[in-house]
């Protein structure tokens, strides 16, 4: 395998080789972790509401496992579709205010299934430049003509749509951008889609549970419904602290996914204990709004202190708060220096983000304390993300 070895060496030379760290939770419902034997605070997970380690989720999973076992035993269309799945789909339809929902095993698969069902070779798929990789891969898998528009730029999208009038068009965007934390300009995107007869799908993996007056995400934040945004994707591995995903939308769309989405049909259904935990997480997210409010308030606190310390932030009001560094090796060095001081913050490098925008992706959670955030900012200011040149 000399070609693979050479490619790996090239990654090393470019400062782009990724390494996994083994992360041990010290207590399930705390931000304290042990990384490579060192005790520190987790500032890079996506557990915004602090639900992943909540004992009530573990109890729900345990009850379901005792009742029906751990594995689903088959795909949904064979014999894996169980009462937990059906109940979660009904609850999600009510919660999102949509006709129907379909639970997928992962967000990656949900996006593959949705886009391949909606787009074929004749379809033009327009995507924000900073969309999640799964949305890009989905358009490529569909064999559609992919066109990327400038980040969060509804005017650029409209120009692309107008240039191809008459072609079937699908527009895909993250609701909250996963590596930047900013929010897509959904009202303007939806208006452009309406004017050009394009279908809009929003992947709100990082907005659901966090944004909106009752945590229903970016669409609630902007008061948009199924008419403006026919297809909504959500995931359970972020704010809800579990695993899995769903697509919500009009009944004919969802039924088409059941019939045709290969990433739905040809995979094992989610384990029922995970689904039971997700149902509990949905209920807790609704019943305990302080979680969302706390994560957002900590994000504001982080911003105010980080800006005062001269750190370079992105225009984000969500719990995702990147600190821009620039060069990949500088980001890795800053991440290592933070770990020495007891803060685990991941360095994010190309190809996950565009070249020249390597960053520390700080995330806030309801599990953090104000003092944790203040200490993180002091450590960031000390160890050094150097200003971008
Ligand atoms: C995490 C994420 C996904 C993938 O979800 P998984 O359930 O982890 O596969 C899809 N889209 C966005 C925007 C994400 O952040």
């Amino acid at each position: 395998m000399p070609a693979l070895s050479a490619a790996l060496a090239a990654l090393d030379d470019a400062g782009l080789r990724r390494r996994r760290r083994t992360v041990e939770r010290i207590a399930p419902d705390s931000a304290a972790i042990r990384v490579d034997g060192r005790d520190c605070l987790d500032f890079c997970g996506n557990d915004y509401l602090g639900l992943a380690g909540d004992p009530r989720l573990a109890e729900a999973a345990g009850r379901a496992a005792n009742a029906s076992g751990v594995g689903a035993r088959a795909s949904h269309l064979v014999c894996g579709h169980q009462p937990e799945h059906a109940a979660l789909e009904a609850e999600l339809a009510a919660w999102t205010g949509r006709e129907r929902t379909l639970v997928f095993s992962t967000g990656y698969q949900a996006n593959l299934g949705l886009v391949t069902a909606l787009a074929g070779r004749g379809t033009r798929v327009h995507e924000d430049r900073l969309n999640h990789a799964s949305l890009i891969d989905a358009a490529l898998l569909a064999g559609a003509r992919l066109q990327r528009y400038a980040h969060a730029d509804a005017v650029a999208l409209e120009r692309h749509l107008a240039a191809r009038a008459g072609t079937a068009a699908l527009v895909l965007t993250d609701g909250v951008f996963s590596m930047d934390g900013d929010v897509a300009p959904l009202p303007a995107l939806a208006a452009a889609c309406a004017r050009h007869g394009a279908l809009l799908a929003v992947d709100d993996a990082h907005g659901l549970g966090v944004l909106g007056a009752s945590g229903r995400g970016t669409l609630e934040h902007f008061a948009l419904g199924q008419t403006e945004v026919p297809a909504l994707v959500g995931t359970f591995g972020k704010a809800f602290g579990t695993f899995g995903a769903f697509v919500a939308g009009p009944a004919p769309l969802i039924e088409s996914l059941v019939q045709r989405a290969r990433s739905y049909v040809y995979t094992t259904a989610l384990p029922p204990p995970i689904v039971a935990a997700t149902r509990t997480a949905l209920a807790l997210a609704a019943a305990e709004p302080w979680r969302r409010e706390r994560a957002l308030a900590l994000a504001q606190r982080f911003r105010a202190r980080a800006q005062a310390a001269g750190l370079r932030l992105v225009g984000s009001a969500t719990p995702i708060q990147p600190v821009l560094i620039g060069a990949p090796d500088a980001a890795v060095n800053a991440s290592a220096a933070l770990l020495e001081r007891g803060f685990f913050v991941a360095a994010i490098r190309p190809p996950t983000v565009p070249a020249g925008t390597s960053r520390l992706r700080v995330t806030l959670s309801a599990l953090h304390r104000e003092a944790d955030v203040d200490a993180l900012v002091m450590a960031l200011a000390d160890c050094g993300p150097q200003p971008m040149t």
Side-chain angles (χ1 to χ4, degrees):
M1 320 218 137
L4 293 182
S5 300
L8 290 170
L11 282 179
D12 281 330
D13 291 345
L16 293 177
R17 169 88 78 115
R18 294 155 178 240
R19 285 198 170 73
R20 299 171 305 166
R21 291 184 187 275
T22 304
V23 176
E24 203 183 328
R25 310 301 312 188
I26 291 173
D29 53 351
S30 136
I33 53 178
R34 194 166 294 139
V35 181
D36 296 343
R38 180 183 301 276
D39 286 2
C40 58
L41 285 175
D42 175 5
F43 274 103
C44 53
N46 301 315
D47 183 21
Y48 307 120
L49 304 183
L51 288 171
D54 191 291
R56 293 167 290 182
L57 271 63
E59 280 157 25
R63 272 196 307 276
N66 286 328
S68 60
V70 171
R73 301 176 175 88
S75 63
H76 285 275
L77 294 180
V78 176
C79 65
H81 191 65
Q82 299 187 19
E84 289 289 356
H85 301 108
L88 176 59
E89 288 180 349
E91 287 158 9
L92 285 168
W95 189 67
T96 59
R98 275 147 196 275
E99 281 173 36
R100 261 189 87 180
T101 66
L102 190 69
V103 169
F104 280 76
S105 294
T106 69
Y108 198 109
Q109 289 168 299
N111 282 334
L112 293 188
L114 174 68
V115 176
T116 52
L118 289 175
R121 293 193 184 281
T123 316
R124 195 158 280 278
V125 176
H126 301 268
E127 300 211 27
D128 188 291
R129 264 198 188 288
L130 298 189
N131 271 359
H132 190 265
S134 56
L135 288 171
I136 304 293
D137 294 357
L140 298 175
L141 179 65
R145 286 176 290 168
L146 172 62
Q147 188 160 30
R148 300 171 85 173
Y149 58 88
H151 176 54
D153 189 341
V155 175
L157 169 65
E158 182 134 30
R159 215 164 35 235
H160 292 179
L161 287 171
R164 312 281 167 187
T167 332
L170 173 65
V171 175
L172 304 175
T173 183
D174 286 16
V176 172
F177 289 89
S178 54
M179 295 299 131
D180 290 70
D182 58 336
V183 175
L186 293 185
L189 296 175
C193 287
R195 280 193 288 272
H196 295 275
L199 195 151
L200 178 60
V202 174
D203 174 352
D204 207 20
H206 295 275
L208 288 170
V210 177
L211 297 185
S214 60
R216 287 174 167 83
T218 312
L219 299 189
E220 183 183 28
H221 173 76
F222 287 122
L224 296 171
Q226 188 174 283
T227 314
E228 296 88 357
V229 182
L232 168 67
V233 177
T235 69
F236 305 131
K238 312 279 161 66
F240 299 111
T242 63
F243 183 74
F246 71 93
V247 176
L253 166 64
I254 300 303
E255 186 57 25
S256 302
L257 296 178
V258 174
Q259 301 305 319
R260 297 215 318 260
R262 295 170 68 85
S263 59
Y264 180 78
V265 174
Y266 297 108
T267 199
T268 301
L270 279 175
I274 294 292
V275 180
T278 301
R279 295 178 61 201
T280 301
L282 266 178
L284 291 177
E288 299 177 355
W290 63 266
R291 295 177 178 277
R292 178 163 51 75
E293 288 155 12
R294 182 165 172 76
L296 291 169
L298 289 173
Q300 287 311 320
R301 186 183 184 95
F302 174 81
R303 286 186 75 75
R305 282 170 168 64
Q307 270 160 348
L311 298 169
R312 256 193 85 145
L313 302 182
V314 166
S316 158
T318 68
I320 302 171
Q321 292 292 330
V323 177
L324 289 174
I325 310 277
D329 45 358
V332 172
N333 292 342
S335 173
L338 284 170
L339 190 57
E340 292 282 312
R341 290 165 188 250
F343 301 96
F344 191 33
V345 183
I348 308 286
R349 295 167 281 170
T352 306
V353 293
T357 72
S358 288
R359 65 198 63 188
L360 295 168
R361 178 177 178 267
V362 172
T363 54
L364 288 312
S365 157
L367 295 178
H368 291 126
R369 297 167 309 168
E370 277 83 1
D372 300 335
V373 172
D374 298 353
L376 170 67
V377 173
M378 282 179 49
L380 275 165
D382 273 7
C383 32
Q386 300 305 311
M388 280 172 70
T389 49

